[in-house]
Amino acid sequence: MTSTADQLFRPADAVINWARKNSLWPFFFGLSCCFVEEATAWGPRYDIARFGSEVFRGSPRQADVLIVSGTMFKKIAPVALQLYEQMSDPKWVISMGSCSNSGGMYDVYSVVQGSDQILPVDVYIPGCPPRPEAVFEGLMLLQKKIDAGERPARPVLHLPGGSQGGREDFLVDGQTKARDTRGPGYAGIPIRGTAATEPRFAGSRAEVLWTPPAPGLTLSREQEVLAADLAAVFGGDATLVTGQDAPGDMPTFEVAPARIPEVLDHLKRKAPTRFERLEDLTAIDETARKAPAGREATAVYTLTSLSAATMVRLLCPLPSREAALPTATGVWSAANWYEREAAEMFGLRFDGHPDPRRLLTHRDWVGHPLRKDYEGRATNMPAFTREDCARLAPVDAAEILGERAKDGDYLLNFGPHHYATHGIIRFVMALRGERIKAMGIDIGYHHRGVEKIGERQTWHQFIPYTDRVDYLSGIANNLSYVTAVEKLAGIEVPPRAAYARVMLSELFRLSNHLMYFGTFLQDLGMMSPIFYALREREMVLDIIETITGGRLHPSWLRLGGLAADLPEGWKEQVAAFVKIFPGRLKEYHAGVTKNPIVKARTKGVGGITAAQATDRGVTGPNLRAAGVSWDRRKAMPYGAYADFDFDVPTRQNGDCYDRYLVRMDEMRESLRIIEQAAARMPEGRYLSADSRYCLPQKDAALKDIESLIHHFVNVTRGPRLPSGMAYAATEAPRGEQGYFVVSDGGCHAYRMRIRTPGFANVQALPHIIEGLSIADCVAVLASYDYILPDIDR
Amino acid sequence: MPQPLAYVPLDAPFSPWNPGALPLLIYVGIVCGVMAVILFLSGFLTRRRPSPAKQQPYECGIVPTGPGRFRYPVPFFLVAVLFLLFDVETAYIIAYAAAWPDLGLSGYLRMAVFIVILGIGLAYAWSKGALDWDEEEGL
C-alpha cells in the first residue's frame, strides 16, 4: 500500500533516479586481477560508455560507485574503508569477483573473507575474474536497484521520508553472514575439504607408495672446478651436497651460517665462476619434516652467473627458527628485502641488517606466517572487522622513511590507491619542491599468502594459484611452476605440449606488453594508444579463449603437458593474427615512438647502468634496456625454446625510452616465435604418458579403467612426488620468475617459494627515482612494468 | 537598387543603436536572478553529511603527514610570470605592426621606447636572479 506522499513524489523520484542510474561514476579503484577486466570493460569492444559510466574518477570525492574489484587484503582494508568514507553521498558499492565476495580461493591469513564484512555491498558480481560482460550485468543490476528501490525526491528537497543511496550496513560474521560457504548449520565440520588436504592427513595411502628418487646431478667441468675451489678456500664450512639428497637442478653447497657473507662475496668476486646476481634468498622451516631434519630451519641462497649461464645454491642449516645469521646486504644490496621477508615470515634474525622491519605484513602483525605451526587459513581465524581496520591502519609516512626524511621535507604518500601506481603499492616521498629527495616503499598491500597456500594444495591444485601471481601473464606463470615440478620429478613433456606452451606463453607476453604500451603512454598523458592496444589485446585473448576457454587465468598447463589438446580452428586464428599484427606495430611506432613529447618525457629519464641493474637483481626487459643481453629463453633455454629462432632485443641507456623500445621489439620477436610454433606444431600426445605424476589424457580417462583410476587418484589425493628440491626460472613477460619447490615426498609441496621479477625490480626503484621530479617518477613507474601480486605474492 | 528601409526601433529605450541605462539594468537583473537561483538550488539540493573521513584531505587513502600549509618553491612560476609579460608585449607589437604604414616614424619611436623599457625591466629581473632555476628557494 503506497501512501499519498509516495504517489505525489513518484514522478520526481523517477526523474532523479533516471538521471542517477544513467550517470553512475565509478571510482578508479582496483585491488587485483578483477580490475584488469573492469578496465577492459572501459576499453573498446566492451565500451562502458554505453551505460554512462565511462568516467572513472581518480578521487573519491567525484565518484559515487565503488567497484571493489579484486582481493580485499587485511592490509588494504583500512584504506578501502577510508576511501569509501571519503566518497560523497549518495553512493553505492559493487563487489566484483570471488575474492571480494567471499575471499574466494584465497582462504589465507592475509585476506578478508568478503569485503561485505567492512563495506556495505549492494551488488555482487561472481567470477574469478568476472568477464567485462559480467561487470555490465552488475552495473545494470545496480541501475535496476536504484530505479526500483530508491525514493530520492524527498531527501533532495529536505523533506522527511524517502530513501537514496546504497545500503549502509556491513555484515557481521556469525550474525548477518556466515563465512561457511555451505551456509549455516555446518559448524564443527571442517570446511572446504580441509581434512583431506592439510599436510598431516592421517592414513593417506600416499605414505606407503613408492616413487622413484628425484633425478640426480652430474657436475659439469666448471662446476667441479667451482666445488674444488670452495673446498680449498672454506674447507668444511662450504661442502658440496652429494649422494641421495643432492638436488638435481644445480650444485648445492652446505655453508656454515657464520661464514655466509664471505662465501657469497667469494662467489661474487673471486671464484672461478663469478655469480653476479643474488637470484633468491629465502628460508625453509624444517620442523614438520616427516623424518626429523636435525635442525629447525634452513636459509637458502640461490645465485646466478650471467657470464657462465649457470646457477648455484647455498644451504645454511640453522639450529633454531630464531637463530641469527650475518646479513648479506654488504655483498648484495638486493638482499635487503629478501632478508626482511625471511625474517618476518620465519622469525629469523639477520645481524647487521640496515633496516630490520617487517616488509609485507603490517608493523603490528603478530606471528611469522610461513612457520609450519602458523594458522594459514583465514576461516580458522577470527573474522576481520572494522575494529581490525582501526588497529591495522597504515603506518605514518614519516615512519616508513625513517631518518632519511629531513626537516623541511614535505612527505607525500603516492599510493596505495593511485592512478599511476598500477596497483596497491605505497611510495612515500620526501619532497623539496618537486624534487624527490628520498623515496621509501611500503609493500605487502597485495600479499595473498600464496607461498603458504602452496604448502596445502596438491601439486595439481596449486596450478590455478600460479596464474594469479602475475595476473596479466596467465599461462606464462603456469609454465614457471610446472617446469620446476617437472624438474623435481624428472617428467618428460611431449613435444606437442612443449610447443603449445611456448606459443601460449608468447601470446601472453604480447598481451602483457600491449597492456604495457597502453598504460605507459596513458600515464604520460596520451589517451588514445590504450584503445588501440586493448583492441589488439582482445585479438590475443580471443586466441587464448579459443584454445583454453579462459581469458586472464586459463590454468591450462598440467604437470607433463596441457589440460586438453589444441582445438580445431586455432591455427587459422593464429595465422590471421600473425598477418595483422606487424602492421599494427608499425602503426604504434608511427604514432608514438617518434613523438617529440614522448621522447622529451622519457629519453635520459630514470636511467640505470648495466652494472647496477645486474647487481640489484633487476631482470627482464628492464635489464636488457640497460644493455645486458641476458634472456633465459636464450641463455638457459627451458621447454622447447631451444628450437626457436629469435633475437634478444637490447638497448644501452636503461632509461624510460629504452625500456619502452625493448618491449616494442620484444613484441616483434614474440610474434616470430608464435609464427614458428604454429607452423611447426608437432603431432602426438599433449600429456606425458607418465601416469605416476601426470593426468591421463581425457579421452583415455573416459575409455579405459586404468586411466580413469590414475585420473581419480591424481585429481583427488594428488600425485606423490619424490622428496628433494628444484628451482626453475622462466623468462616471464616482466622478467625472471622462478619457482623453488621443496618436496618432502608428499602430495603437496613442503615449501613453495616464488622468486618474482617484481620484487627485485621494484626494490631498485629508489635508486632510480631519488633525485627526479614527481612527473619523471610517474614516467619511470609507467615504463618499469611491475605488477603487485608479483611483488607481494 | 532600392534603398534599404530606415531602421525604426519599436521601442526607443531598448534600441541597440541608442543605448541607455535601462537595458543594462534589466540585463544585470536577469544575471543576478539566474545566479541567485543557481546558487540557491546547488546549495539547497546538496545534502551535506560531513564525517571526519570526508573532512580529511585525500591522499591516496592514507592519513596525510605534516601540515598542509608549507612553503613550496615553484621556480617555473617566476619564469612563467616573465613570459606572461612578454606575451602581452607581443599582443601590442602585432597590433602595432598591422598599423605600421599609418603610424610612421613617430609610432616606431614610441614602440621602441616601450620595448626598451620592457628590456630594462627584464635586465633588472635577470640581474636580481629571477631567471635562476633555484628549486630550493625560500625553503
Side-chain angles (χ1 to χ4, degrees), chain A residues 61 82 89 158 417 435, chain B residues 44 54 56 58-59 135:
Chain A
R61 321 277 193 207
Q82 164 94 348
D89 293 285
H158 296 261
H417 162 262
R435 195 64 52 186
Chain B
F44 176 73
K54 272 191 208 167
Q56 261 179 17
Y58 161 73
E59 195 170 305
E135 291 189 337

Side-chain angles (χ1 to χ4, degrees), chain A residues 303-347:
Chain A
L303 312 182
T304 304
S305 165
L306 306 193
S307 46
T310 181
M311 298 182 74
V312 70
R313 178 187 295 123
L314 308 178
L315 298 178
C316 232
L318 298 168
S320 86
R321 293 182 297 186
E322 289 80 25
L325 63 166
T327 178
T329 44
V331 188
W332 273 289
S333 58
N336 190 322
W337 277 14
Y338 287 105
E339 286 182 354
R340 280 173 71 181
E341 192 196 2
E344 78 175 327
M345 289 294 164
F346 294 93

Side-chain angles (χ1 to χ4, degrees), chain B residues 76-103:
Chain B
F76 61 82
F77 175 74
L78 276 177
V79 178
V81 162
L82 285 175
F83 173 76
L84 198 69
L85 206 68
F86 286 88
D87 213 22
V88 175
E89 181 196 357
T90 313
Y92 279 112
I93 292 178
I94 288 173
Y96 155 73
W100 155 257
D102 300 337
L103 293 175

Side-chain angles (χ1 to χ4, degrees), chain A residues 28-47:
Chain A
F28 195 102
F29 178 73
L31 291 174
S32 47
C33 334
C34 284
F35 186 72
V36 177
E37 290 295 55
E38 190 189 330
T40 310
W42 168 86
R45 179 184 292 190
Y46 299 102
D47 191 14

Side-chain angles (χ1 to χ4, degrees), chain B residues 12-85:
Chain B
F14 290 99
S15 160
W17 307 130
N18 305 305
L22 187 61
L24 186 66
L25 276 180
I26 292 173
Y27 177 67
V28 168
I30 292 174
V31 166
C32 289
V34 168
M35 257 165 53
V37 169
I38 289 174
L39 284 177
F40 169 74
L41 278 183
S42 61
F44 176 73
L45 294 180
T46 312
R47 209 161 59 126
R48 288 197 174 75
R49 293 174 62 189
S51 70
K54 272 191 208 167
Q55 301 301 101
Q56 261 179 17
Y58 161 73
E59 195 170 305
C60 303
I62 303 275
V63 180
T65 305
R69 294 168 190 277
F70 60 100
R71 298 177 69 90
Y72 192 82
V74 269
F76 61 82
F77 175 74
L78 276 177
V79 178
V81 162
L82 285 175
F83 173 76
L84 198 69
L85 206 68

